[in-house]
Amino acid sequence: MNNSRLVASITHYIEEHLQEKITLEELALQLHYSKYYLLHEFKETTHQSLYNYIKRRRLNEAARALLYSDQRIIEVAVQTGYQSQQAFTKAFEELFKLTPRRYRLQNKQFFIEEPFVVADYLVWAEQRDLHIRQGRLEDQLAILYFVQLMRGALPYLEKEEYLRSLRLFISEGNCYLAWAKGRIVGLLLFDQKRKRIENLTALPSCWNLEIEKNLLTTLVREKAPRFLSTTTFRVADKLDIGHRQRLLNVGFVPNEQIMEVNYPTERLVLSLKE
């Protein structure tokens, strides 16, 4: 079994037992692999630990229940595997930066992180497959699909608000897409007035292609900004699987810690002066 099939088997098992106690010992027994091998292959493919993935899946399903059902919070907590509402609230707030109650009261259609599907997340591409161009209005559904996959990199997005802003970026020529094998694998949205990058992210399976660097190079060539800023996760944010470090790798440096839509983030800056 190659690592793609193995990860598919792992995620399938998790979804079937999401409301039960999942142990690494039982998972290894069911799939006939060592515990170490399972942990290594899963992280190698998904860029996150198996424990973190299970926790995030459960909390995202809890978020879905809070938005789309009338279950009491304690009922959602127990269904998610927590023995008390207090423990559930602590874990939920750690991930979403809001208490379950406040999350529910906002009553907005947030992107919910879906199960990891190997066929969706893995794109076997090389540098020669990469193509960067400006986004078009007909790309909206493909962009939304990509953003849904990248929910972990673009936390706390509300669908309708995002669509409205996306159309504006596209109409102003400030949406850049990286394509490979007929799929969007990278996205950059640029607020030209504020010289601010709203989104800059790439599919983890294509991180070796330096997509963020290629998107930035295209932006600088076409728009010639002398200075850029963006925001990302703070150090040690449990939602981050490496996206902050990706921005640091292309030259952004930390500037200040801020709050965005009640979410604690960090402002990064990039000087492009010669």
Side-chain angles (χ1 to χ4, degrees), residues 7-22:
V7 170
S9 297
I10 293 172
T11 55
H12 178 72
Y13 179 90
I14 290 170
E15 292 307 308
E16 286 193 329
H17 300 83
L18 200 58
Q19 296 182 15
E20 306 168 20
K21 183 179 180 179
I22 299 175

Side-chain angles (χ1 to χ4, degrees), residues 3-273:
N3 61 341
S4 298
R5 290 177 59 196
L6 176 58
V7 170
S9 297
I10 293 172
T11 55
H12 178 72
Y13 179 90
I14 290 170
E15 292 307 308
E16 286 193 329
H17 300 83
L18 200 58
Q19 296 182 15
E20 306 168 20
K21 183 179 180 179
I22 299 175
T23 67
L24 183 57
E25 289 76 13
E26 182 61 26
L27 181 59
L29 181 64
Q30 292 294 325
L31 299 183
H32 308 291
Y33 282 94
S34 73
K35 293 184 290 184
Y36 172 80
Y37 187 76
L38 290 180
L39 293 174
H40 177 270
E41 292 302 300
F42 188 86
K43 187 165 187 178
E44 183 75 15
T45 301
T46 67
H47 296 269
Q48 60 181 305
S49 71
L50 182 58
Y51 169 79
N52 189 51
Y53 175 78
I54 294 172
K55 183 178 180 181
R56 284 169 57 153
R57 280 294 303 124
R58 284 175 168 161
L59 289 173
N60 271 273
E61 288 305 306
R64 192 191 306 277
L66 291 170
L67 288 178
Y68 304 119
S69 80
D70 57 1
Q71 288 180 284
R72 293 184 302 154
I73 292 177
I74 184 59
E75 293 173 338
V76 175
V78 172
Q79 182 176 290
T80 309
Y82 290 87
Q83 300 302 311
S84 71
Q85 186 168 324
Q86 181 180 16
F88 169 66
T89 296
K90 180 180 179 182
F92 190 92
E93 191 170 10
E94 187 178 65
L95 186 62
F96 291 96
K97 307 304 185 282
L98 283 174
T99 64
R101 181 175 181 275
R102 287 184 61 199
Y103 186 90
R104 167 173 271 173
L105 286 175
Q106 290 192 66
N107 195 30
K108 292 184 177 181
Q109 187 180 357
F110 293 106
F111 289 114
I112 301 296
E113 192 171 5
E114 300 291 340
F116 187 97
V117 178
V118 173
D120 291 338
Y121 286 88
L122 297 189
V123 177
W124 306 115
E126 299 180 17
Q127 194 68 46
R128 65 173 180 267
D129 301 315
L130 194 63
H131 170 63
I132 293 175
R133 65 164 172 81
Q134 288 194 3
R136 303 162 185 158
L137 288 176
E138 57 264 33
D139 295 324
Q140 287 180 85
L141 290 180
I143 294 172
L144 279 179
Y145 176 74
F146 173 78
V147 170
Q148 178 68 56
L149 293 180
M150 299 302 294
R151 158 65 175 76
L154 309 169
Y156 215 59
L157 297 178
E158 198 275 317
K159 185 176 181 179
E160 293 306 317
E161 290 179 7
Y162 189 81
L163 265 177
R164 284 193 293 271
S165 64
L166 178 61
R167 294 187 191 105
L168 184 60
F169 283 116
I170 292 174
S171 65
E172 294 178 345
N174 291 319
C175 171
Y176 292 86
L177 303 174
W179 293 81
K181 301 290 187 178
R183 294 267 307 276
I184 295 176
V185 295
L187 169 69
L188 187 158
L189 299 180
F190 177 50
D191 184 331
Q192 195 161 358
K193 291 181 180 178
R194 296 192 295 166
K195 301 296 184 291
R196 171 186 163 96
I197 293 176
E198 294 297 338
N199 292 161
L200 176 57
T201 189
L203 204 62
S205 65
C206 295
W207 276 359
N208 64 310
L209 302 181
E210 298 185 315
I211 291 173
E212 297 94 339
K213 180 180 178 180
N214 281 277
L215 286 166
L216 278 173
T217 299
T218 304
L219 171 68
V220 171
R221 183 177 65 247
E222 295 189 1
K223 306 292 183 179
R226 304 298 297 274
F227 173 87
L228 291 171
S229 71
T230 192
T231 56
T232 189
F233 300 101
R234 293 184 185 180
V235 175
D237 189 317
K238 293 184 181 300
L239 195 59
D240 185 20
I241 65 170
H243 300 287
R244 183 180 191 276
Q245 186 59 49
R246 301 286 299 174
L247 293 174
L248 298 180
N249 290 347
V250 296
F252 280 95
V253 296
N255 180 261
E256 63 176 334
Q257 294 187 345
I258 60 176
M259 295 291 292
E260 294 181 292
V261 199
N262 297 314
Y263 198 104
T265 62
E266 186 166 27
R267 183 171 181 262
L268 307 181
V269 296
L270 175 64
S271 176
L272 299 166
K273 296 179 182 179

